[in-house]
Amino acid sequence: MKTGRVVINKLRKRQGSAIAYVLLILVLVSISSMLVLSLFASNFKLATHQERSTEAYYLAYSGAELAFAALAADSNQIFNQLVANPSTSRNQTLTLENGTVVVSARQVTAGSPYYTMYPGWIMITSTGTLNRDNTARTRILLVDSADQQNLVWK
């Protein structure tokens, strides 16, 4: 009988410990939930940024290709003007539904970072900018002035 009273007395002394355990578990679950939600939010933000960056990249890429096609049109008249006169440049801004593309074409001249490897080539610089958040990416297309089939993307 004495042992039964000892056990009952010990249990009576621990009456508040169940609440402490429940609160501890609740705090741990809350912290874990906040960490998981934080990771999901961060991942969503990174995915959104990557999507917009890729969209701006392809706007710039398309702008450079359109500019190359425009230079090659009309029997290469504009292309030949850029080759004959290194100080001239052609600039165009294209406004699209989801953004703008600013394109410029000029000859690679001394002082350009590409002059040592591509002197006299035509450099088409295209920058695509999204309307919704101003994400911008730039693509550079270098075209050999002697052979228009020789292209280098930067």
Side-chain angles (χ1 to χ4, degrees), residues 124-143:
I124 300 171
T125 304
S126 177
T127 302
T129 305
L130 297 181
N131 289 337
R132 62 179 162 238
D133 65 351
N134 291 328
T135 300
R137 294 293 174 262
T138 300
R139 294 288 294 163
I140 295 174
L141 174 62
L142 296 159
V143 183

Side-chain angles (χ1 to χ4, degrees), residues 40-54:
F40 280 135
S42 176
N43 190 28
F44 180 75
K45 193 183 281 188
L46 286 171
T48 301
H49 173 73
Q50 181 65 34
E51 178 185 346
R52 291 179 180 164
S53 180
T54 301

Side-chain angles (χ1 to χ4, degrees), residues 93-133:
T93 300
L94 307 169
T95 303
L96 305 171
E97 181 179 317
N98 58 341
T100 58
V101 181
V102 178
V103 181
S104 69
R106 63 181 173 84
Q107 192 178 121
V108 176
T109 56
S112 169
Y114 301 110
Y115 184 72
T116 55
M117 293 188 67
Y118 309 103
W121 286 39
I122 301 300
M123 179 172 68
I124 300 171
T125 304
S126 177
T127 302
T129 305
L130 297 181
N131 289 337
R132 62 179 162 238
D133 65 351

Side-chain angles (χ1 to χ4, degrees), residues 11-83:
L11 288 175
R12 285 185 182 159
K13 290 179 182 176
R14 293 179 157 190
Q15 281 180 347
S17 66
I19 293 173
Y21 287 132
V22 168
L23 287 175
L24 180 65
I25 290 172
L26 202 62
V27 167
L28 290 174
V29 168
S30 296
I31 290 172
S32 298
S33 298
M34 286 188 291
L35 287 172
V36 168
L37 286 174
S38 174
L39 287 172
F40 280 135
S42 176
N43 190 28
F44 180 75
K45 193 183 281 188
L46 286 171
T48 301
H49 173 73
Q50 181 65 34
E51 178 185 346
R52 291 179 180 164
S53 180
T54 301
E55 191 175 349
Y57 172 88
Y58 281 110
L59 275 176
Y61 187 87
S62 298
E65 286 188 330
L66 284 171
F68 177 65
L71 290 176
D74 296 330
S75 302
N76 295 326
Q77 181 181 0
I78 299 172
F79 188 85
N80 293 333
Q81 289 174 355
L82 291 173
V83 171

